[in-house]
Amino acid sequence: MHPWCNCCFFQNCREKMRELYENSFLRFLFVGGLGTVVNILIFFIFADTLHFDPTFSSVIAFLFAVTQNYILNHVWSFKNIVNFQLNKKSYFKYVCVNIFGLVINLLVLNMILLWLNPAIKTEAQLFGVLSGTIFNFILSRMYVFKENP
C-alpha cells in the first residue's frame, strides 16, 4: 500500500464511509429507493401500458415492493438490530405499517390526479411513494425491526 493511503484524510474517509454504510436509516433509504423503482415500474406497466385503474395499479405495485423491501430491510438495513428470522408475523407487521404509507401514497396520488393532471399518473405515484418514506422508517424501526419482536 502506498504510504499516503494511510494518512489521516483517507483514514477519516474510510471511517466515515463505514459509518454511512452501517447507518440503518441510509440503508433503509437505499432499500426504499430500490422498492420505489420496483413500485414505479410495476405501476407504469399496469397503469400506463395495460391501462388498469391507477388505484388498482398502485396497490399491485405496493404488494411487490413491500415484499421486496421487507426481505431486504430484514437481512440488510436492520441486520444489526433484529435477532429473529424472516417470519410471517414480522412480515404481517411490516405490511401493516406500510399500509399506512400506502394510504398516504393513495391520497397524494389521487389528489395530484384530481387537482393537477390525470396524464401524469407515474409522476403522481412517485410523489405518493416519497410522501410515506419517513413515516414507514419510523414505524418499521420501532414496531417491526426491533430486538424482540
Side-chain angles (χ1 to χ4, degrees), residues 40-74:
I40 296 301
L41 179 62
I42 291 172
F43 179 85
F44 175 78
I45 291 168
F46 277 84
D48 291 332
T49 304
L50 300 174
H51 305 291
F52 282 98
D53 176 71
T55 299
F56 173 79
S57 300
S58 184
V59 171
I60 296 299
F62 166 81
L63 292 174
F64 278 93
V66 77
T67 301
Q68 170 193 286
N69 286 1
Y70 167 72
I71 294 167
L72 292 176
N73 280 321
H74 186 279

